[in-house]
Amino acid sequence: MNKLFKMTVLACVITVGFTACDKDDKPAQEEKEYQAKVMVKEGETVDLTKVSKTKNSEGTINRKGQIYSVRNFRQFTLGEDGKPTTTVAKNFYIDFKENDGVTEAEAVITLPAELTAILKSNTEKGYTLRYIDKAFDAVTANDTFLEAPNNTLGLESQYTPNVIGWLIYTGRPNHQVNTKTGRTIVVLKDNKPFFKFRVNSVYSNETMEKEVQPGNYFYYSIDYQEFK
């Protein structure tokens, strides 16, 4: 009986040992990717007119690694029947986490489509705005960010010397609006760095239609990345 008992115990030890080793050998499970409203695969470009969860959003989104690039983004007003009109909205609303155009209430950021050019965060949802004059690719969550007054950034020009901006009006003779080169904008969620983004251009296809008084704006070109 003692011999049989010892053999049984030994078999159990060996079985448990192999099971434990087998568990140790298994690679740790990868964290599941967040299921955004608009999913964009690596290297893929999606057309918002086809995949957006809102009816009035237009543009494309491409993904390379953890960086998403939205191009020619804009939105249109909605008619009484709930369908989009051909009238461009005065403000565009975007949610970087969802990779989609959204409503004002759902937005992370409001993108202006008028020359008042007030870019702001949705403070009602806990989003606040910061900025840093540092190349987008080099910005990390550990950097020291500067506060955007009232969680807004505006239009800089010779006529508004005290405005902290994301966009610059050149004035005469060309009357162009250019994005602030080298400035990265940061969104905080409940006071923690959440996303960084840069606005590359507000002209369609990132190109002014002419040198003097180009009018083909606002079509947003933005790169954005979540802080991990």
Side-chain angles (χ1 to χ4, degrees), residues 15-29:
T15 301
V16 171
F18 276 120
T19 303
C21 289
D22 184 54
K23 287 182 179 179
D24 291 340
D25 289 341
K26 289 181 179 179
Q29 287 187 344

Side-chain angles (χ1 to χ4, degrees), residues 64-225:
K64 292 181 180 178
Q66 297 303 313
I67 298 176
Y68 292 79
S69 299
V70 60
R71 297 293 183 263
N72 291 326
F73 176 72
R74 59 180 184 161
Q75 290 181 309
F76 298 86
T77 60
L78 295 174
E80 293 182 359
D81 58 359
K83 296 180 180 180
T85 69
T86 57
T87 302
V88 177
K90 293 182 179 180
N91 290 298
F92 307 153
Y93 305 105
I94 193 167
D95 186 335
F96 295 136
K97 186 71 175 178
E98 301 296 345
N99 303 319
D100 201 3
V102 292
T103 65
E104 181 178 6
E106 298 169 322
V108 171
I109 290 292
T110 295
L111 302 170
E114 295 184 313
L115 282 178
T116 49
I118 302 298
L119 186 152
K120 61 183 180 180
S121 61
N122 189 349
T123 55
E124 291 187 6
K125 292 192 69 175
Y127 299 114
T128 49
L129 209 60
R130 300 289 187 271
Y131 70 95
I132 184 171
D133 289 329
K134 185 176 181 180
F136 173 82
D137 292 333
V139 173
T140 72
N142 295 321
D143 283 325
T144 300
F145 307 119
L146 299 173
E147 186 174 344
N150 300 315
N151 296 299
T152 65
L153 293 171
L155 178 69
E156 292 185 9
S157 75
Q158 59 182 319
Y159 311 108
T160 55
N162 297 321
V163 169
I164 297 175
W166 65 279
L167 197 65
I168 300 172
Y169 171 59
T170 63
R172 296 179 180 177
N174 291 335
H175 300 285
Q176 299 170 356
V177 283
N178 300 315
T179 55
K180 185 84 173 181
T181 303
R183 177 158 292 176
T184 299
I185 306 171
V186 176
V187 178
L188 278 62
K189 171 66 173 173
D190 299 327
N191 295 317
K192 295 180 180 179
F194 187 37
F195 272 89
K196 62 177 179 177
F197 70 98
R198 65 182 171 198
V199 183
N200 304 303
S201 173
V202 294
Y203 292 101
S204 59
N205 298 317
E206 301 179 285
T207 305
M208 290 180 280
E209 62 184 356
K210 55 185 178 179
E211 283 294 315
V212 179
Q213 291 186 311
N216 57 322
Y217 54 77
F218 284 83
Y219 296 77
Y220 277 87
S221 166
I222 297 174
D223 297 324
Y224 61 93
Q225 182 179 7

Side-chain angles (χ1 to χ4, degrees), residues 36-56:
K37 289 182 179 179
V38 174
M39 296 296 294
V40 187
K41 297 177 182 178
E42 171 66 25
E44 180 183 33
T45 298
V46 300
D47 185 345
L48 288 177
T49 58
K50 298 178 180 178
V51 300
S52 176
K53 303 305 179 185
T54 55
K55 301 175 182 178
N56 62 329

